[in-house]
Amino acid sequence: MDGMTIEIQVLGWAGLLAAAQVILATIPANLQLGSPYLASARDEQRPLSGIPARLDRAFRNHLEGLLLFAVAVVTVTLAGAASPLTEGCALAYLAARIVYVPLYAFGVPWLRTLVWAVGFVATILMLLAALF
């Protein structure tokens, strides 16, 4: 991965994390709702509950954060602002997103919020480092 910044590499890993979360969320959803329903057009809404619902929400939350993180990585990269700070922030973002999944799945309330905040603050710091 010569020539690729740490921030870009972490963005790639964050994309793979999203793919893993799709699989992680789909399996229990399939067990709870059944393959025929999931293969249908789902005109009739059947909500998930419990761990399958939390895994789905954790995935959707990751997508929201991933969008902002991708903006930060692109901004850092195009501005030529990569630094040890932005590298550390990118790694902190990814670590937080990985830890967030089981915390959300098992319904750990305050620690989950703190871990989410680490990823969010790391992303904002990357943007600030690139812009100022």
Side-chain angles (χ1 to χ4, degrees):
M1 293 188 244
D2 194 25
M4 189 182 304
T5 66
I6 296 293
E7 296 85 355
I8 295 287
Q9 290 177 44
V10 171
L11 181 58
W13 285 108
L16 289 176
L17 176 60
Q21 283 188 257
V22 167
I23 295 165
L24 191 62
T26 301
I27 292 169
N30 195 9
L31 293 172
Q32 191 174 92
L33 299 177
S35 297
Y37 173 74
L38 292 178
S40 74
R42 299 182 213 171
D43 292 330
E44 171 196 335
Q45 294 295 313
R46 292 187 194 167
L48 290 167
S49 61
I51 289 176
R54 291 193 297 271
L55 286 170
D56 183 62
R57 289 193 302 272
F59 166 66
R60 293 177 192 289
N61 183 276
H62 179 56
L63 291 182
E64 293 170 3
L66 185 57
L67 175 63
L68 188 57
F69 178 69
V71 169
V73 169
V74 169
T75 303
V76 165
T77 302
L78 293 179
S83 69
L85 173 66
T86 60
E87 290 174 359
C89 286
L91 291 168
Y93 168 83
L94 183 60
R97 294 314 310 182
I98 291 169
V99 171
Y100 183 83
V101 175
L103 291 176
Y104 204 129
F106 294 110
V108 180
W110 293 105
L111 182 57
R112 180 191 84 217
T113 302
L114 178 64
V115 168
W116 174 88
V118 167
F120 182 75
V121 169
T123 302
I124 298 305
L125 287 174
M126 289 177 67
L127 284 166
L128 292 172
L131 296 172
F132 299 101

